[in-house]
Amino acid sequence: MPLLNKPSSSRSLTRLRIALTVFFALDGFLFAGWVVRIPAIKEQTGASASDLGLALLGVSAGAVVTMTLTGRLCRRFGSRPLTVAAAVLLSLGIALPARTHSALGLGLVLLVFGAAYGGINVAMNSVAVDLVAALRRPVMPGFHAAFSLGGMIGAGLGGLVAAGLPASSHLLVLTVTGLAVTAAAGPVLLRHPSPAVHESTGRTASPGDLGDDPVHPSRRTRRLVAVFGVIALCTAYGEGALADWGALHLEQDLGAHAGVAAAGYSLFALAMTAGRLSGTTLLERLGQTRTLVAGGATAAAGMLLGSLAPTVWPALLGFAVTGLGLANIFPVAVARAGALAGPGGVATASTLGYGGMLLGPPAIGFLADWFSLPVALTTVAALAATASVIGYAVRRVPAGTAAEERAENRRPFAVSAPVRAEPCRSEPS
């Protein structure tokens, strides 16, 4: 196996990292381009809040079913081919909602979109876990920063064209863009070999550390993976809620202009991007426990302001604070699950996490009908606080990289002694 300090290996890892970053950014760009057109699609279909919530459940159903299968598919066919295939399907699927004229039809086409969205997120994160292991640095937040940056750009452009461009034309442009980006970055992702690390490099945190086979982890490992999945769920719920209902809250409850309302999600995505760009440094200096606890508490406070503020500008500030708080919680949770159980761990945590992102919007819709949309959005704060509590409760689970372990051991929230590991594989042998 090649040594990581060889120039050819370093260049290969760099190219893989860049290509994977592009796919994360594309995922965020396409998803945000869809969510900022939800008000237009709602008007087009004549759906009520409850009907729209049920239609959005199609995204959830498609994604969750796909996520439960993608971990196995990654082990059989490789995470990188699945990433490329799912990106193609996602690009094609995003044009479908604008072709519907009923809540039922919308829900059916969103099954396809959700299946692609679920598949690409599990596959991408599986590739990312391998790269984090090979690079021996907690760089997972950087990939998710690309997702947030893509979301910010997608939402910003969507806000600019919302008033003058029909949703059907906008989503068709997104399809063409997605296919073009996939055609450019896909061969790079597929061409280069999988990350390989020499046994003497001193890797950290893998299934083998707990005495598990990555394909058949122990019951304890499965429970730990589920716990990290719940942390991901609690925070992804907030991302989904703000993506699908944030613009509507600003426009409907606070009287914001359509462009300002769309910019609300863009501001949230910008704050998440800034938080994730600094995530590697934050994790190396503070460790995962403090990052999780502080992030959850910050997001809870921000969302209380964002949902209950009486005017637009404090609500926008609350959205930004929420983005900063949530920024690094999800990537840390998925990375820890992947380090514990390989692609299967990523699939489990992603299923729970993205399930929260996708099931949250329908739940918000029902709560908005029963109570009000501002009250419904306060559940985001409650779940962020829950993630903070759970993050402290699992403080003694080994960290994912040597740098993180050193940071944890320097802090009052200490963890157990550092462990060594082999890389998590998402490619078939």
Side-chain angles (χ1 to χ4, degrees), residues 51 72 156 187 194 197 208 212 302 370 397:
D51 290 338
R72 299 173 187 174
S194 304
V197 183
D212 298 330
W370 294 337
V397 177

Side-chain angles (χ1 to χ4, degrees), residues 79 111 148 184 204 215 231 265 280 317 392 399:
S79 301
L111 283 170
S148 297
T204 57
V215 181
I231 293 175
Y265 180 72
T280 297
L317 175 61
Y392 178 76

Side-chain angles (χ1 to χ4, degrees), residues 282-297:
L282 191 67
L283 287 167
E284 288 177 336
R285 293 185 178 181
L286 300 182
Q288 294 178 349
T289 298
R290 289 198 166 205
T291 300
L292 291 176
V293 172

Side-chain angles (χ1 to χ4, degrees), residues 52-120:
L52 180 62
L54 285 172
L56 293 173
L57 196 61
V59 181
S60 307
V64 169
V65 169
T66 304
M67 286 177 173
T68 59
L69 300 175
T70 304
R72 299 173 187 174
L73 294 175
C74 284
R75 288 192 294 267
R76 182 168 183 177
F77 301 107
S79 301
R80 292 175 297 156
L82 285 176
T83 298
V84 175
V88 171
L89 183 59
L90 184 69
S91 299
L92 295 173
I94 199 171
L96 298 178
R99 309 296 171 182
T100 62
H101 299 280
S102 68
L104 176 60
L106 179 62
L108 291 176
V109 300
L110 288 180
L111 283 170
V112 177
F113 183 76
Y117 185 71
I120 193 172

